[in-house]
Amino acid sequence: MIRARIHNGQVEVQGSIPDSWEGQTVKIVPLTPDDEIPDLEVRLAALHALGPMEFDEDERAQISADLKALDELSKEAMRQIHPS
């Protein structure tokens, strides 16, 4: 199996394509949650090994303000869909 990514309407192949595939028509289907990602467990273990995320007070304040702004945007979008 060859993995590829669609980017700006183009197929970007990740890895090499076997010579025997030259000239063949291929079918591209999206990955699903049931598809295995072999190195996922390794990636998750490396991520967990980094430990918990820590923020300083300025970062916490910015995150809080950003979340509040996103909340207001969401509420406004819902009001436009379902006016009271």
Side-chain angles (χ1 to χ4, degrees):
M1 175 173 57
I2 302 296
R3 292 197 183 268
R5 182 173 83 106
I6 307 298
H7 182 73
N8 291 328
Q10 299 291 316
V11 177
E12 295 178 353
V13 177
Q14 298 174 346
S16 60
I17 299 173
D19 292 338
S20 62
W21 286 26
E22 185 64 33
Q24 292 189 29
T25 301
V26 297
K27 177 179 170 182
I28 299 173
V29 296
L31 289 174
T32 69
D34 295 329
D35 291 327
E36 290 185 24
I37 302 175
D39 63 343
L40 180 59
E41 292 303 320
V42 173
R43 290 181 185 190
L44 287 174
L47 180 63
H48 288 292
L50 293 174
M53 178 66 80
E54 296 180 15
F55 301 104
D56 64 29
E57 284 305 311
D58 290 340
E59 289 172 318
R60 287 183 189 280
Q62 184 62 52
I63 291 168
S64 179
D66 291 344
L67 288 173
K68 188 177 277 189
L70 287 172
D71 187 44
E72 288 303 317
L73 285 172
S74 298
K75 287 178 181 177
E76 180 56 32
M78 289 303 294
R79 283 191 285 269
Q80 290 178 9
I81 295 170
H82 300 287
S84 300

